[in-house]
Amino acid sequence: MTEKSKKFVKKGSDDVAGLLVDFANEFEARADEIRIQQSKLDYVHELNYEGLHYKRFTRKNHNYLVAYVIFYAFFLILGALSFVSIESPGETAARINLRKSRNAFLTKHNIRDDDLEAFLKEVVSASERGISVLRNASSSELNWSFGQALFFSSTVVTTIGYGHVTPISETGKIFCMIYATLGIPLTLVLLSAIVDRLMVPVSGLLGFMNAKLGHLYQPFNIRLLHLLLLVVIVGLLFLVAPMFVFAYMEPGWDLLDAFYYCFISLTTIGLGDFIPGDGENVSNPTLYKTLTTCYLILGLAGVMLALSVFYQIPQLNLGQLFTEYGSGASEAEKMRLSGAGGPCYSGPTGLYIPQRDEEVRRAVVRIRPRGDDSPSPEDTTPMHARDIRVP
């Protein structure tokens, strides 16, 4: 090869090397721009999922919502009519008997009706303060003893709120509002932490059932069986077993009353018509109220655990009918919006477990050319194999 030819080849190689460097720099700049845009998109999707720009709604979703509102209103009306038909006869009979008893009392003791009315007002006012009208108040435990106050505090922060004992003073009312404002979030955090730890064995049970029954039944059927088994366990532990305990400890309660109290309490309805520990036969009311408080907190955790498993079954989540992402989006879109769009692997229990962020980042391969290096004609390494860095 002549000297002129060598110079021509060297010049061409330098030109190619320069073009490759320019291309690599432009590629890196474009890659950075794409990463920035992807970060913005991820942030927007996170906002969508968190609720700032929430979810899209279609006409079909609105129709579902309107239909559900109509059904819900009909459900409330049906409940009202049912209670009227069931409870009205008993209330009417009780009113008649009360009127007869009052007239007989006035006739027998020759008491003026106004005097009796004034006395009954005092009795009702004391009853509203939680003071029993059937026995001397000094012979029973005070409403604001430690055991009673602990029980009241638990009903406030768990939002059960029986209403049989309430603060009377203005200072007590103000403190109750402040205490509830702080206590309710603290209680939710505690219950969530308990449920998170209980979900470990519960998820392990689901994985075991998938491993044993996966070749026989569909995943949805296995999930239903898993939910049913969990509901039975929670019901036995926090409804049936306490039912017998309360029926034994409270002489005036039968099994139905005890089960009714457990259900009304653990659903946080808290009607307050049945209150444990207010009878005269309880030897240690403080200990009894303390144990009841522990029961209520653990029972609420069990109910939340069952609800968490219930809402993890997509087919049972009716809320999906009212949003486009819930009713029409693909599973990949849902996973991406929930921030769980990373690769997943199937764990030893058969459950799909998302990979950690570090594992995902290690799988990313980026090509970063060094700006201070320029390709040489003598370097026979392919361009696509140069300077591959795996973080």
Side-chain angles (χ1 to χ4, degrees), residues 84-102:
V84 167
S85 62
I86 295 173
E87 297 295 335
S88 288
E91 181 188 1
T92 302
R95 286 177 177 270
I96 295 175
N97 292 333
L98 180 61
R99 190 178 297 112
K100 291 180 179 179
S101 299
R102 176 171 179 153

Side-chain angles (χ1 to χ4, degrees), residues 38-335:
Q38 184 62 42
S39 299
K40 292 180 179 179
L41 290 176
D42 292 341
Y43 178 71
V44 171
H45 284 305
E46 183 179 355
L47 294 182
N48 287 340
Y49 183 75
E50 293 297 333
L52 297 181
H53 296 285
Y54 208 47
K55 298 180 179 180
R56 298 190 298 269
F57 301 99
T58 63
R59 182 180 298 274
K60 184 178 181 181
N61 302 140
H62 289 301
N63 293 337
Y64 279 142
L65 180 59
V66 171
Y68 186 80
V69 169
I70 295 174
F71 167 77
Y72 188 76
F74 174 77
F75 183 77
L76 293 179
I77 295 173
L78 178 63
L81 295 176
S82 300
F83 283 118
V84 167
S85 62
I86 295 173
E87 297 295 335
S88 288
E91 181 188 1
T92 302
R95 286 177 177 270
I96 295 175
N97 292 333
L98 180 61
R99 190 178 297 112
K100 291 180 179 179
S101 299
R102 176 171 179 153
N103 293 333
F105 183 84
L106 291 174
T107 303
K108 179 179 180 180
H109 298 281
N110 194 22
I111 300 176
R112 295 175 60 247
D113 186 80
D114 292 340
D115 295 338
L116 179 61
E117 186 72 17
F119 174 72
L120 292 179
K121 286 182 179 179
E122 291 293 333
V123 170
V124 172
S125 177
S127 180
E128 291 177 349
R129 297 184 181 184
I131 301 175
S132 174
V133 298
L134 299 178
R135 59 182 181 271
N136 187 4
S138 61
S139 63
S140 61
E141 187 182 28
L142 296 177
N143 288 329
W144 296 110
S145 63
F146 176 76
Q148 294 277 22
L150 178 64
F151 185 69
F152 171 78
S153 300
S154 68
T155 60
V156 170
V157 298
T158 56
T159 69
I160 296 176
Y162 292 119
H164 68 299
V165 175
T166 57
I168 302 301
S169 64
E170 293 184 357
T171 304
K173 293 176 182 178
I174 294 174
F175 177 77
C176 183
M177 291 186 289
I178 298 174
Y179 185 76
T181 302
L182 299 176
I184 292 175
L186 292 176
T187 304
L188 293 177
V189 171
L190 174 62
L191 294 177
S192 298
I194 295 175
V195 170
D196 287 341
R197 280 150 182 80
L198 292 177
M199 282 297 294
V200 175
V202 170
S203 300
L205 176 61
L206 178 59
F208 175 79
M209 295 176 65
N210 282 327
K212 296 297 183 180
L213 304 176
H215 63 288
L216 298 176
Y217 302 100
Q218 296 292 329
F220 174 68
N221 296 332
I222 297 177
R223 280 180 169 269
L224 282 182
L225 181 61
H226 175 256
L227 175 62
L228 179 61
L229 181 60
L230 179 63
V231 170
V232 170
I233 295 175
V234 171
L236 290 176
L237 290 178
F238 299 109
L239 290 177
V240 177
M243 173 186 70
F244 290 101
V245 174
F246 285 121
Y248 174 78
M249 296 295 297
E250 303 289 338
W253 296 11
D254 56 20
L255 291 177
L256 177 60
D257 294 335
F259 186 86
Y260 170 80
Y261 165 76
C262 296
F263 180 84
I264 293 298
S265 298
L266 296 187
T267 53
T268 67
I269 297 174
L271 295 178
D273 46 352
F274 289 93
I275 304 297
D278 286 349
E280 296 179 345
N281 298 327
V282 179
S283 58
N284 194 337
T286 299
L287 178 61
Y288 186 46
K289 294 278 188 178
T290 302
L291 294 177
T292 304
T293 299
C294 297
Y295 157 72
L296 292 176
I297 294 176
L298 294 177
L300 289 175
V303 172
M304 288 183 60
L305 177 65
L307 291 177
S308 298
V309 175
F310 175 85
Y311 285 116
Q312 285 182 355
I313 304 178
Q315 294 87 341
L316 301 181
N317 190 354
L318 296 180
Q320 295 180 352
L321 297 175
F322 309 132
T323 58
E324 182 180 358
Y325 290 151
S327 60
S330 62
E331 289 298 326
E333 179 70 10
K334 296 176 187 177
M335 294 291 290

Side-chain angles (χ1 to χ4, degrees), residues 341-362:
C344 298
Y345 70 95
S346 180
T349 61
L351 299 176
Y352 285 102
I353 306 174
Q355 288 183 341
R356 295 174 298 181
D357 293 340
E358 306 88 50
E359 297 173 349
V360 175
R361 284 196 294 269
R362 291 194 192 103

